[in-house]
């Protein structure tokens, strides 16, 4: 696991979430738990493609947008 990469992803994810006016509780559904989402946003857990898709669906964005960060 590349911690630095996960931290960059987490920061980007948090920024997008806030831009969309969402809170972490909005991610508590059958495809991803609020707890799992929180771990990803804190960069304490890696994430699968299916979870990226679930997050993108909840945010109303294309999964590619979640991965578009420096």
């Amino acid at each position: 696991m590349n911690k630095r990469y996960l931290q960059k992803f987490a920061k980007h994810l948090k920024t997008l979430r806030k831009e969309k006016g969402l809170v972490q509780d909005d991610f508590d559904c059958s495809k991803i738990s609020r707890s799992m989402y929180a771990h990803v946003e804190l960069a304490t857990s890696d994430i699968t493609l299916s979870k990226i898709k679930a997050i993108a669906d909840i945010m109303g964005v294309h999964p590619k947008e979640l991965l578009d960060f420096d």
Side-chain angles (χ1 to χ4, degrees), residues 15-32:
T15 299
L16 284 176
R17 176 179 58 79
K18 287 184 174 188
E19 286 175 0
K20 297 291 181 180
L22 299 169
V23 295
Q24 287 185 353
D25 285 337
D26 293 325
F27 294 87
D28 198 14
C29 66
S30 63
K31 295 183 182 180
I32 188 167

Side-chain angles (χ1 to χ4, degrees), residues 22-59:
L22 299 169
V23 295
Q24 287 185 353
D25 285 337
D26 293 325
F27 294 87
D28 198 14
C29 66
S30 63
K31 295 183 182 180
I32 188 167
S33 70
R34 183 224 165 276
S35 175
M36 175 62 183
Y37 178 83
H39 282 288
V40 172
E41 198 172 279
L42 291 170
T44 58
S45 181
D46 212 334
I47 189 168
T48 63
L49 288 174
S50 61
K51 300 296 182 205
I52 289 173
K53 174 70 169 118
I55 291 169
D57 289 348
I58 292 167
M59 287 188 175

